[in-house]
Amino acid sequence: MRLSFLQPLLDRPGPWATVYFDPGQPDESGAKRRELSVRQICRTLEQEGADKATAEAVRGHLAGLSPADDPAGRVLFATGGEVVLSHRLSRRPQEELACWAPLPRLAPLLELCGQDPVCLVAYVDRTGADFQLREAGGPQDAGNVEGEQWPVHRAASSDWSERHFQFKVENTWEHNAAEIAEALAAAHEESGADLVVLVGGPRERRAVYEKLPETVRAVAVETEHGGRAAGSGSPALEEAIEKARQDSLYRRVEQALDRFRAGRVGTDRPTDAVEGVPAVADAARQHRIDTLLVRSDGPDLHRELWAGADPDQVAVRRTDAEALGVGEPLSVRADDALLRSAAATSADVLVVPFEGTADDIPAGGLGALLRWTYEPSPA
C-alpha cells in the first residue's frame, strides 16, 4: 500500500482532527442518524481540545457527504479551520472514530483503505487497446492506444494475391501488438501499478504479452474472460481480475516476509531488515525504509515515540528528539509517526498476517525492509 495520497498532510503543523466516517444508508432514517453522528463527532473533537473553526470545517464537510457517492465512507484530516484532506474508504469502519491529536491518526487506513494491489487492466483487440486502472477509489480510465486499422482481417482464398494480403494482415497484427505493448509499458510506469491484467482474444493477448518489457511481463497475467468490445464485461471477468489482485497481494506479502526473515539478524552486523520500534524509528530517520511491515494487532503500534514537525524527526526518547533539533517534541503513537514517515519517503506499507511464530513476523508488530544495508546506530 502506498500512502502518497497523504502528501498534503506532511508539511502542515498540527494538532489534527481525524475522522473516519460512515455515511450510513441512503434513506430518511439514515439521514437522521447521519445528522446525529455528525453532531457527536464535532462534540467529541471539541471535548478533546479542537478549536471551533476546525470542528466547524469538519461539520460542514461531513454534512455534504452522500451515501450514494461514498458508500463505504470517508476519512477526513483537518487543522487550522480547514479540511486538508478527504479520502474515500474502500471498507466501512466498524465504528466511527473522531480524535484530536498531535499527528493525523493513520493506522486505521491500513484496514479501511485496504492494501489491494493497484491493477492496470488492458482490454486489447487487433486494432488497439483501452486501459483502466483499478484501485481503492474505483475504476478509472487510464488511456488508450489505436494501431493501424487496415488490414486486420484475413481473406478465405488461397490465391497468391490473397496470400499476399494475408501477409499484410499478419504484419498489421504484429505492428499493433508492438504499439499496444509500448503504450501499456508507459501506462504501467506512469501509474505505478502492481499488476497488469490482459483481457481479449488469446492470440491478441499473447502477442502483446510477448512484446512487453521483462519488468512488465513479470507482473502481467492473462484472462480468457471478456474483451475490448462494448458489453463484453461479465461477472467472470470481474472475478478473474479480483483473483489476480489477491494472488498478487499474497505473493508480495510472502516475498516480503521471506526477505525479512533472510535479512534479519540478531547481532550488531549490518542487516537488510529490522524489527521493533527503536530500530524502525532509527531507519525512518535515515530514510532507509523500503517497506514498512505492520501487524495490525501488534502490541508496539501504540508505543510512545517523540516527534517533530518533519516526518523523519522521530525518536524513542524525548532527549533524542531534542538532539535532532526538535524544540518541543510531541508525544505520539509509534504507528502514526512511522506511517507518516513512510508516506514522506514513498515507502511501501504491507500488513502482515496474524498467523505465524516469532520467527515469521516482526517483533511487536513493526518491522522494515531496508533500501540499503543498514548499520545499527550505537546504543
Side-chain angles (χ1 to χ4, degrees), residues 8-291:
L9 311 182
L10 302 181
D11 59 356
R12 296 284 295 267
W16 288 87
T18 303
V19 176
Y20 289 86
F21 182 69
D22 179 358
Q25 300 301 315
D27 54 23
E28 186 176 348
S29 61
K32 292 180 180 178
R33 284 194 296 271
R34 195 155 52 250
E35 183 180 348
L36 293 174
S37 179
V38 170
R39 284 186 201 165
Q40 182 57 50
I41 285 170
C42 294
R43 188 179 302 119
T44 298
L45 292 176
E46 291 181 355
Q47 288 172 348
E48 293 188 4
D51 57 278
K52 286 191 175 295
T54 299
E56 283 304 312
V58 169
R59 185 192 310 275
H61 195 92
L62 293 178
L65 294 182
S66 161
D69 296 332
D70 299 291
R74 280 195 170 254
V75 57
L76 309 184
F77 302 101
T79 190
E82 175 188 0
V83 175
V84 178
L85 179 64
S86 173
H87 188 76
R88 179 179 294 170
L89 301 175
S90 58
R91 298 179 179 87
R92 286 179 181 269
Q94 292 186 350
E95 294 182 1
E96 289 184 331
L97 182 151
C99 66
W100 180 252
L103 294 183
R105 185 78 182 92
L106 302 179
L109 287 172
L110 301 181
E111 176 186 356
L112 300 178
C113 280
Q115 57 179 355
D116 296 338
V118 176
C119 177
L120 182 61
V121 184
Y123 300 88
V124 306
D125 63 15
R126 296 175 183 178
T127 63
D130 300 318
F131 305 141
Q132 184 185 66
L133 203 60
R134 303 284 189 102
E135 49 188 347
Q140 55 182 299
D141 179 71
N144 70 297
V145 57
E146 296 294 343
E148 295 180 0
Q149 303 298 302
W150 186 90
V152 294
H153 298 291
R154 288 172 169 166
S157 171
S158 60
D159 180 84
W160 178 89
S161 61
E162 296 300 343
R163 289 199 303 272
H164 181 67
F165 179 78
Q166 290 176 12
F167 180 71
K168 287 186 176 181
V169 169
E170 295 285 346
N171 282 346
T172 301
W173 288 2
E174 289 298 308
H175 174 272
N176 287 351
E179 285 205 0
I180 294 169
E182 182 179 356
L184 181 55
H188 173 262
E189 181 177 1
E190 181 180 349
S191 67
D194 304 293
L195 171 69
V196 172
V197 177
L198 294 169
V199 178
R203 175 164 181 167
E204 291 82 358
R205 295 194 317 259
R206 179 51 41 174
V208 171
Y209 177 87
E210 290 176 349
K211 289 177 172 55
L212 289 170
E214 179 57 37
T215 53
V216 183
R217 241 189 354 256
V219 296
V221 297
E222 300 177 53
T223 174
E224 62 183 8
H225 304 290
R228 190 185 185 197
S232 59
S234 67
L237 173 59
E238 294 303 313
E239 290 174 9
I241 292 173
E242 183 58 27
K243 183 178 185 303
R245 295 178 75 186
Q246 294 307 312
D247 288 347
S248 174
L249 174 59
Y250 177 80
R251 287 193 300 271
R252 286 177 60 216
V253 171
E254 286 301 304
Q255 289 168 0
L257 288 177
D258 285 345
R259 183 182 160 195
F260 174 77
R261 289 186 285 264
R264 177 178 61 176
V265 295
T267 71
D268 291 333
R269 292 185 288 110
T271 182
D272 296 318
V274 294
E275 61 186 325
V277 170
V280 176
D282 195 23
R285 283 196 300 273
Q286 300 178 50
H287 299 189
R288 290 189 170 185
I289 297 179
D290 175 66
T291 303

